[in-house]
Amino acid sequence: MLYFLLFAALVLYGHSTQDFPETNARVVGGTEAQRNSWPSQISLQYLSGGSWYHTCGGTLIRRNWVMTAAHCVDSQMTFRVVIGDHNLSQNDGTEQYVSVQKIVVHPNWNKNNVAAGYDIALLRLAQSVTLNNYIQLGVLPQEGTILPNNTPCYITGWGKTKTNGQVSQTLQQAYLPTVDYSICSSSSYWGSTVKRTMVCAGGDGVRSGCQGDSGGPLHCLVNGQYSVHGVTSFVSSLGCNVSKKPTVFTRVSAYISWMNNVIASN
């Protein structure tokens, strides 16, 4: 959504203006995911003119809590969560629709400076969803976990399938191995725009996030199990699949304590 484009007011840390972050991320260069193969993936939708529209992704982390990006929910809108969906334009018979009762954005989030980090929010649902073969909780990493370079990960979402392209009606996935912080923060990559509280993945110039995947998960294979290590945050303003501009995610393991405290106090 256009009003989620935050680049105008970003602090660029000495980078050329062509390299600033763009917060509307979607899957480029991916393939259609197998139906319900990522059962913690949700579609965050907003109400407009009596109809619901997909805007961001997210991850079901409790039966009544969803993790997403702060920039997805920092406008005054009516939201709902759809869990168990695959094709947004038809009824798959596996969906559950739940309204969002409360939005908790990280207190340090600054929508005028996405490069500062803290692009994470929790949504308390109006009711608990029912877990089944199609709907499961996302597995979160241990606090402080840092993935080694080239860890196998997948981004998933319903976002645009190419820069300036169309949104996907079916859930897409793309293989995005992690890029170590020392590489991602080098001058030929993202430089100081990337913080240690972020995860970089991809950057091959072919596969990436793009507009609409924001808030969705980065699933990484660790010890034989996929866990959600990232919340999709931003890509390059030059385009989604830009070489040496990996998709940047909020690092989930940096916010475990904050999320536990929010859930316990709400």
Side-chain angles (χ1 to χ4, degrees), residues 50-64:
S51 298
W52 293 95
Y53 299 93
H54 170 83
T55 180
C56 280
T59 303
L60 187 71
I61 61 170
R62 299 284 195 281
R63 288 179 59 212
N64 63 332

Side-chain angles (χ1 to χ4, degrees), residues 245-264:
K245 286 291 182 289
T247 305
V248 181
F249 302 81
T250 301
R251 177 166 63 83
V252 173
S253 67
Y255 297 94
I256 298 295
S257 291
W258 175 75
M259 289 191 284
N260 288 340
N261 289 338
V262 168
I263 291 170

